[in-house]
Coordinates of all heavy atoms in Angstrom, one line a residue:
M1 N -7.5 0.5 -3.7 CA -6.6 1.7 -3.9 C -7.5 2.7 -3.2 O -8.7 2.9 -3.1 CB -6.5 2.1 -5.4 CG -5.9 3.3 -5.6 SD -5.5 3.6 -7.2 CE -3.9 4.2 -7.2
N2 N -6.7 3.7 -2.5 CA -7.3 4.8 -1.7 C -6.6 6.1 -1.9 O -5.4 6.1 -2.0 CB -7.3 4.3 -0.3 CG -8.1 5.2 0.7 OD1 -9.0 5.9 0.3 ND2 -7.6 5.4 2.0
F3 N -7.3 7.2 -2.0 CA -6.7 8.4 -2.0 C -7.3 9.4 -1.2 O -8.6 9.6 -1.3 CB -6.7 9.0 -3.6 CG -6.2 10.4 -3.7 CD1 -4.8 10.6 -3.7 CD2 -7.1 11.4 -3.8 CE1 -4.2 12.0 -3.7 CE2 -6.5 12.9 -3.9 CZ -5.3 12.9 -3.9
V4 N -6.7 10.0 -0.2 CA -7.3 11.2 0.6 C -6.6 12.4 0.4 O -5.3 12.5 0.5 CB -7.3 10.5 2.1 CG1 -7.8 11.6 3.0 CG2 -8.0 9.3 2.2
A5 N -7.4 13.6 0.4 CA -6.7 14.9 0.2 C -7.4 15.7 1.4 O -8.6 15.8 1.5 CB -7.1 15.4 -1.1
D6 N -6.6 16.5 2.1 CA -7.0 17.4 2.9 C -6.7 18.7 2.4 O -5.5 19.1 2.5 CB -6.4 17.2 4.3 CG -6.8 18.2 5.5 OD1 -7.7 19.1 5.1 OD2 -6.2 18.3 6.6
L7 N -7.6 19.5 1.9 CA -7.3 20.7 1.2 C -7.9 21.9 2.0 O -8.2 22.9 1.4 CB -8.0 20.7 -0.2 CG -7.6 19.5 -1.1 CD1 -8.5 19.5 -2.4 CD2 -6.1 19.5 -1.4
A8 N -7.7 21.9 3.4 CA -8.2 22.9 4.1 C -7.2 24.0 4.0 O -6.2 23.9 3.5 CB -8.3 22.5 5.7
A9 N -7.7 25.2 4.3 CA -6.8 26.4 4.2 C -5.5 26.2 5.0 O -5.6 25.9 6.2 CB -7.6 27.6 4.8
G10 N -4.4 26.5 4.5 CA -3.0 26.3 5.1 C -2.6 24.9 5.2 O -1.5 24.7 5.7
S11 N -3.4 24.0 4.6 CA -2.9 22.7 4.7 C -3.1 21.9 3.2 O -4.2 22.1 2.6 CB -3.7 21.8 5.7 OG -3.5 20.4 5.6
R12 N -2.1 21.2 2.8 CA -2.2 20.5 1.6 C -1.6 19.1 1.8 O -0.5 18.8 1.5 CB -1.5 21.2 0.5 CG -2.1 22.5 0.0 CD -3.5 22.2 -0.7 NE -3.9 23.5 -1.3 CZ -5.0 24.2 -0.7 NH1 -5.4 23.9 0.4 NH2 -5.4 25.3 -1.2
D13 N -2.4 18.3 2.5 CA -2.0 16.9 2.8 C -2.6 15.9 1.8 O -3.7 15.9 1.5 CB -2.4 16.6 4.2 CG -1.5 17.5 5.2 OD1 -0.8 18.1 4.8 OD2 -2.0 17.4 6.4
Y14 N -1.9 14.9 1.4 CA -2.3 13.8 0.5 C -1.8 12.4 1.1 O -0.8 12.4 1.6 CB -1.8 13.9 -0.9 CG -2.1 15.3 -1.6 CD1 -1.2 16.4 -1.5 CD2 -3.3 15.6 -2.1 CE1 -1.5 17.6 -2.1 CE2 -3.6 16.7 -2.7 CZ -2.8 17.8 -2.7 OH -3.1 18.9 -3.2
E15 N -2.7 11.5 1.0 CA -2.4 10.1 1.4 C -2.8 9.2 0.3 O -3.9 9.2 -0.1 CB -3.1 9.8 2.7 CG -2.7 8.5 3.2 CD -3.3 8.2 4.6 OE1 -3.5 9.1 5.3 OE2 -3.5 7.0 5.0
Y16 N -2.0 8.3 0.0 CA -2.1 7.3 -1.1 C -2.0 5.9 -0.4 O -1.2 5.6 0.3 CB -1.2 7.3 -2.2 CG -1.0 8.8 -2.7 CD1 0.0 9.6 -2.2 CD2 -1.7 9.3 -3.8 CE1 0.2 10.9 -2.6 CE2 -1.5 10.5 -4.4 CZ -0.5 11.4 -3.7 OH -0.3 12.6 -4.2
S17 N -3.0 4.9 -0.9 CA -2.8 3.5 -0.4 C -3.1 2.7 -1.5 O -4.0 2.9 -2.3 CB -3.8 3.2 0.8 OG -3.4 3.9 1.9
L18 N -2.4 1.6 -1.6 CA -2.6 0.5 -2.6 C -2.4 -0.8 -1.8 O -1.4 -1.1 -1.1 CB -1.7 0.6 -3.7 CG -1.8 -0.5 -4.7 CD1 -3.3 -0.5 -5.5 CD2 -0.7 -0.3 -5.8
A19 N -3.5 -1.7 -1.7 CA -3.4 -2.9 -1.0 C -3.7 -4.1 -2.0 O -4.5 -4.0 -2.9 CB -4.5 -2.9 0.1
A20 N -3.1 -5.3 -1.6 CA -3.3 -6.6 -2.2 C -3.7 -7.5 -1.3 O -3.1 -7.7 -0.1 CB -2.1 -7.0 -3.1
V21 N -4.6 -8.5 -1.6 CA -5.0 -9.6 -0.7 C -5.1 -10.8 -1.6 O -5.6 -10.7 -2.7 CB -6.4 -9.3 0.0 CG1 -6.9 -10.4 0.8 CG2 -6.4 -8.1 0.7
T22 N -4.7 -11.9 -1.1 CA -4.9 -13.2 -2.0 C -5.4 -14.3 -1.0 O -5.4 -14.1 0.3 CB -3.5 -13.6 -2.4 OG1 -3.6 -14.8 -3.4 CG2 -2.5 -14.0 -1.4
N23 N -6.0 -15.3 -1.6 CA -6.7 -16.3 -0.8 C -5.9 -17.5 -0.9 O -5.4 -17.9 -1.8 CB -8.0 -16.6 -1.5 CG -8.9 -17.5 -0.7 OD1 -8.5 -18.3 0.2 ND2 -10.2 -17.6 -1.0
L24 N -5.7 -18.1 0.3 CA -4.8 -19.3 0.4 C -5.7 -20.5 0.5 O -5.3 -21.5 1.1 CB -4.0 -19.2 1.7 CG -2.9 -18.2 1.7 CD1 -2.0 -18.2 3.1 CD2 -1.9 -18.4 0.5
R25 N -7.0 -20.5 0.1 CA -8.0 -21.5 0.1 C -8.3 -21.9 1.6 O -8.5 -22.9 2.0 CB -7.5 -22.8 -0.5 CG -7.4 -22.5 -2.0 CD -7.2 -23.8 -2.8 NE -6.9 -23.4 -4.2 CZ -7.2 -24.1 -5.2 NH1 -7.7 -25.4 -4.9 NH2 -7.1 -23.7 -6.5
S26 N -8.3 -21.0 2.5 CA -8.7 -21.1 3.8 C -9.2 -19.7 4.3 O -9.6 -18.9 3.4 CB -7.5 -21.4 4.7 OG -6.5 -20.2 4.7
R27 N -9.4 -19.5 5.6 CA -10.0 -18.4 6.1 C -8.9 -17.3 6.4 O -9.1 -16.2 7.0 CB -10.8 -18.6 7.3 CG -12.1 -19.4 6.9 CD -13.1 -19.5 8.0 NE -14.3 -20.1 7.7 CZ -15.4 -19.6 7.1 NH1 -15.4 -18.3 6.8 NH2 -16.5 -20.3 6.8
W28 N -7.6 -17.7 6.1 CA -6.5 -16.7 6.4 C -6.1 -16.1 5.0 O -5.9 -16.7 4.0 CB -5.3 -17.5 7.0 CG -5.5 -17.9 8.3 CD1 -5.8 -19.0 8.7 CD2 -5.2 -17.0 9.4 NE1 -5.9 -19.1 10.2 CE2 -5.5 -17.8 10.5 CE3 -4.8 -15.6 9.6 CZ2 -5.4 -17.3 11.8 CZ3 -4.7 -15.2 10.9 CH2 -5.0 -16.0 12.1
F29 N -5.9 -14.8 4.9 CA -5.7 -14.0 3.8 C -4.3 -13.3 4.0 O -4.4 -12.3 4.9 CB -6.8 -13.1 3.4 CG -8.0 -13.8 3.0 CD1 -8.9 -14.1 4.0 CD2 -8.3 -14.2 1.8 CE1 -10.2 -14.7 3.9 CE2 -9.5 -14.9 1.4 CZ -10.4 -15.0 2.5
P30 N -3.2 -13.4 3.4 CA -2.0 -12.5 3.5 C -2.5 -11.3 2.8 O -3.0 -11.3 1.8 CB -0.9 -13.5 2.8 CG -1.6 -14.3 1.9 CD -2.9 -14.6 2.4
T31 N -1.8 -10.2 3.3 CA -2.1 -8.9 2.8 C -0.8 -8.1 2.5 O 0.1 -8.4 3.1 CB -3.0 -8.0 3.7 OG1 -2.4 -7.8 4.9 CG2 -4.3 -8.7 3.9
L32 N -0.9 -7.1 1.7 CA 0.4 -6.4 1.5 C -0.1 -4.9 1.1 O -0.8 -4.8 0.1 CB 1.3 -6.9 0.4 CG 2.7 -6.1 0.2 CD1 3.5 -6.1 1.5 CD2 3.4 -6.6 -0.8
E33 N 0.2 -3.9 1.8 CA -0.3 -2.6 1.7 C 0.8 -1.5 1.5 O 1.9 -1.6 2.3 CB -1.1 -2.2 2.8 CG -1.7 -0.8 2.6 CD -2.9 -0.5 3.6 OE1 -3.1 -1.4 4.5 OE2 -3.2 0.6 3.7
F34 N 0.8 -0.7 0.5 CA 1.9 0.3 0.2 C 1.2 1.5 0.6 O 0.0 1.9 0.1 CB 2.3 0.2 -1.3 CG 2.9 -1.0 -1.7 CD1 2.2 -2.1 -2.2 CD2 4.4 -1.2 -1.4 CE1 2.8 -3.2 -2.6 CE2 5.1 -2.3 -1.8 CZ 4.1 -3.4 -2.4
N35 N 1.8 2.4 1.2 CA 1.2 3.8 1.7 C 2.3 4.9 1.4 O 3.5 4.7 1.6 CB 0.8 3.9 3.1 CG -0.3 2.7 3.5 OD1 -1.4 2.9 3.2 ND2 0.2 1.6 4.0
A36 N 1.7 6.1 1.1 CA 2.5 7.3 0.9 C 1.8 8.4 1.5 O 0.5 8.5 1.3 CB 2.9 7.4 -0.4
R37 N 2.4 9.3 2.2 CA 1.8 10.5 2.6 C 2.7 11.7 2.2 O 3.9 11.8 2.4 CB 1.8 10.5 4.1 CG 0.8 9.6 4.7 CD 0.6 9.6 6.2 NE -0.2 8.6 6.7 CZ -0.3 8.2 7.9 NH1 0.6 8.8 8.9 NH2 -1.1 7.4 8.3
Q38 N 2.0 12.7 1.7 CA 2.6 14.0 1.4 C 2.1 15.1 2.3 O 0.8 15.3 2.2 CB 2.4 14.4 0.0 CG 3.4 13.9 -1.0 CD 3.0 14.5 -2.4 OE1 1.9 14.6 -2.8 NE2 4.1 14.7 -3.1
T39 N 2.8 15.7 3.2 CA 2.3 16.7 4.1 C 3.2 17.9 3.9 O 4.2 17.8 3.5 CB 2.2 16.2 5.6 OG1 3.5 16.0 6.0 CG2 1.5 15.0 5.6
Y40 N 2.8 19.0 4.6 CA 3.5 20.2 4.7 C 5.0 20.0 5.4 O 5.9 20.6 5.1 CB 2.7 21.3 5.3 CG 3.5 22.6 5.4 CD1 3.8 23.4 4.3 CD2 4.1 22.9 6.7 CE1 4.4 24.6 4.5 CE2 4.7 24.2 6.8 CZ 5.0 24.9 5.7 OH 5.7 26.1 5.9
A41 N 4.9 19.1 6.3 CA 6.1 18.8 7.3 C 7.0 17.9 6.5 O 8.2 17.7 6.9 CB 5.6 18.2 8.5
G42 N 6.7 17.2 5.5 CA 7.5 16.1 4.7 C 6.7 15.0 4.2 O 5.5 15.0 4.3
N43 N 7.6 14.0 3.6 CA 6.8 12.9 3.1 C 7.2 11.6 3.8 O 8.2 11.5 4.5 CB 7.4 12.7 1.6 CG 7.1 13.9 0.7 OD1 6.0 14.6 0.9 ND2 7.9 14.2 -0.2
A44 N 6.2 10.6 3.8 CA 6.4 9.4 4.4 C 6.0 8.2 3.6 O 5.0 8.5 2.7 CB 5.7 9.3 5.7
F45 N 6.8 7.2 3.5 CA 6.4 5.9 2.7 C 6.6 4.8 3.7 O 7.6 4.6 4.3 CB 7.4 5.9 1.5 CG 7.1 4.6 0.6 CD1 6.0 4.5 -0.2 CD2 7.9 3.5 0.9 CE1 5.8 3.4 -0.9 CE2 7.7 2.4 0.1 CZ 6.6 2.4 -0.7
Y46 N 5.6 3.9 3.5 CA 5.9 2.5 4.3 C 5.1 1.5 3.6 O 4.2 1.7 2.7 CB 5.5 2.8 5.7 CG 4.1 3.4 6.0 CD1 3.0 2.6 6.3 CD2 4.0 4.8 6.0 CE1 1.8 3.1 6.6 CE2 2.6 5.1 6.2 CZ 1.6 4.4 6.6 OH 0.4 5.0 6.8
V47 N 5.4 0.2 3.9 CA 4.9 -1.0 3.4 C 4.4 -1.7 4.6 O 5.2 -1.9 5.6 CB 5.9 -1.8 2.6 CG1 5.4 -3.1 2.1 CG2 6.5 -1.0 1.4
T48 N 3.2 -2.3 4.5 CA 2.6 -3.2 5.6 C 2.2 -4.4 5.2 O 1.2 -4.6 4.7 CB 1.5 -2.4 6.2 OG1 1.8 -1.1 6.5 CG2 1.0 -3.0 7.5
P49 N 3.1 -5.6 5.5 CA 2.6 -6.9 5.3 C 1.7 -7.4 6.5 O 2.0 -7.0 7.6 CB 3.9 -7.6 5.1 CG 5.0 -6.9 6.0 CD 4.4 -5.4 5.9
G50 N 1.0 -8.2 6.3 CA 0.0 -8.8 7.4 C -0.9 -9.9 6.9 O -0.7 -10.5 6.0
F51 N -1.8 -10.3 7.8 CA -2.7 -11.3 7.7 C -4.1 -10.8 8.3 O -4.2 -10.2 9.0 CB -2.3 -12.6 8.5 CG -1.3 -13.4 7.8 CD1 0.1 -13.3 8.1 CD2 -1.6 -14.4 6.9 CE1 1.1 -14.0 7.4 CE2 -0.7 -15.1 6.2 CZ 0.6 -15.0 6.5
V52 N -5.1 -11.2 7.4 CA -6.5 -11.0 7.8 C -7.2 -12.4 7.9 O -7.0 -13.3 7.2 CB -7.3 -10.3 6.7 CG1 -8.7 -10.2 7.1 CG2 -6.7 -8.9 6.8
R53 N -7.9 -12.5 9.1 CA -8.6 -13.9 9.3 C -10.2 -13.7 9.3 O -10.6 -12.7 9.7 CB -8.4 -14.4 10.7 CG -9.2 -15.5 11.2 CD -8.9 -16.9 10.5 NE -9.2 -18.1 11.3 CZ -10.3 -18.8 10.8 NH1 -11.1 -18.4 9.8 NH2 -10.7 -19.8 11.6
H54 N -10.7 -14.3 8.3 CA -12.2 -14.1 8.0 C -12.9 -15.2 9.0 O -12.7 -16.4 8.7 CB -12.5 -14.4 6.6 CG -14.0 -14.2 6.2 ND1 -14.6 -13.0 6.1 CD2 -15.0 -15.2 6.0 CE1 -15.9 -13.1 5.9 NE2 -16.1 -14.5 5.8
F55 N -13.9 -14.7 9.7 CA -14.6 -15.4 10.5 C -16.0 -15.7 10.1 O -16.3 -14.9 9.1 CB -14.7 -15.0 12.1 CG -13.4 -14.9 12.7 CD1 -12.6 -13.8 12.7 CD2 -12.8 -16.1 13.3 CE1 -11.3 -13.7 13.2 CE2 -11.5 -16.0 14.0 CZ -10.8 -14.9 13.9
R56 N -16.8 -16.5 10.7 CA -18.3 -16.5 10.3 C -19.0 -15.3 10.7 O -18.5 -14.5 11.5 CB -18.9 -17.6 10.9 CG -18.4 -19.1 10.3 CD -19.0 -20.2 10.9 NE -18.4 -21.4 10.5 CZ -19.1 -22.4 10.0 NH1 -20.4 -22.3 10.0 NH2 -18.4 -23.4 9.7
H57 N -20.1 -15.1 10.2 CA -21.0 -14.0 10.5 C -20.3 -12.5 10.1 O -20.5 -11.6 10.8 CB -21.4 -13.9 12.0 CG -21.9 -15.1 12.7 ND1 -23.1 -15.7 12.1 CD2 -21.4 -16.1 13.4 CE1 -23.2 -16.9 12.8 NE2 -22.3 -17.1 13.6
Q58 N -19.8 -12.5 8.9 CA -19.1 -11.3 8.3 C -18.2 -10.6 9.3 O -18.2 -9.3 9.3 CB -20.3 -10.5 8.0 CG -21.3 -11.0 7.0 CD -22.6 -10.4 6.9 OE1 -23.1 -10.0 7.8 NE2 -23.1 -10.2 5.6
L59 N -17.4 -11.2 10.0 CA -16.5 -10.6 10.9 C -15.0 -11.0 10.5 O -14.7 -12.1 10.0 CB -16.7 -11.2 12.3 CG -15.7 -10.6 13.3 CD1 -16.0 -9.1 13.6 CD2 -15.8 -11.4 14.8
E60 N -14.1 -10.0 10.4 CA -12.8 -10.1 10.0 C -11.8 -9.5 11.1 O -12.3 -8.4 11.7 CB -12.4 -9.5 8.7 CG -13.1 -10.1 7.5 CD -12.7 -9.5 6.2 OE1 -12.1 -8.3 6.2 OE2 -12.9 -10.1 5.2
A61 N -10.6 -10.1 11.3 CA -9.7 -9.5 12.1 C -8.3 -9.6 11.5 O -8.1 -10.6 10.9 CB -9.7 -10.1 13.5
G62 N -7.4 -8.6 11.6 CA -6.1 -8.8 11.0 C -5.2 -7.8 11.7 O -5.5 -7.1 12.7
A63 N -3.9 -8.2 11.4 CA -2.8 -7.5 12.0 C -1.7 -7.4 11.0 O -1.5 -8.2 10.2 CB -2.3 -8.2 13.2
G64 N -0.9 -6.4 11.1 CA 0.3 -6.2 10.1 C 1.3 -5.3 10.8 O 1.1 -4.7 11.8
V65 N 2.5 -5.4 10.2 CA 3.6 -4.5 10.9 C 4.1 -3.6 9.7 O 4.5 -4.1 8.7 CB 4.8 -5.4 11.3 CG1 5.9 -4.6 11.8 CG2 4.3 -6.4 12.4
S66 N 4.0 -2.3 10.0 CA 4.4 -1.4 8.9 C 5.9 -1.2 9.0 O 6.5 -1.1 10.1 CB 3.7 0.0 9.1 OG 4.0 0.6 10.3
A67 N 6.6 -1.2 8.0 CA 8.0 -1.0 7.8 C 8.2 0.3 7.0 O 7.7 0.4 5.9 CB 8.7 -2.2 7.0

Side-chain angles (χ1 to χ4, degrees):
M1 180 174 222
N2 185 27
F3 175 77
V4 177
D6 181 4
L7 303 177
S11 173
R12 295 290 186 259
D13 298 347
Y14 302 97
E15 182 175 333
Y16 313 87
S17 288
L18 178 63
V21 178
T22 188
N23 188 341
L24 294 178
R25 296 186 184 207
S26 70
R27 293 190 179 271
W28 287 96
F29 298 89
T31 62
L32 185 61
E33 187 173 346
F34 298 94
N35 300 280
R37 290 182 185 165
Q38 275 185 316
T39 66
Y40 178 75
N43 298 327
F45 175 78
Y46 52 99
V47 177
T48 307
F51 279 93
V52 171
R53 170 73 161 102
H54 181 77
F55 298 96
R56 294 179 186 229
H57 308 295
Q58 303 165 313
L59 181 66
E60 291 182 347
V65 177
S66 65

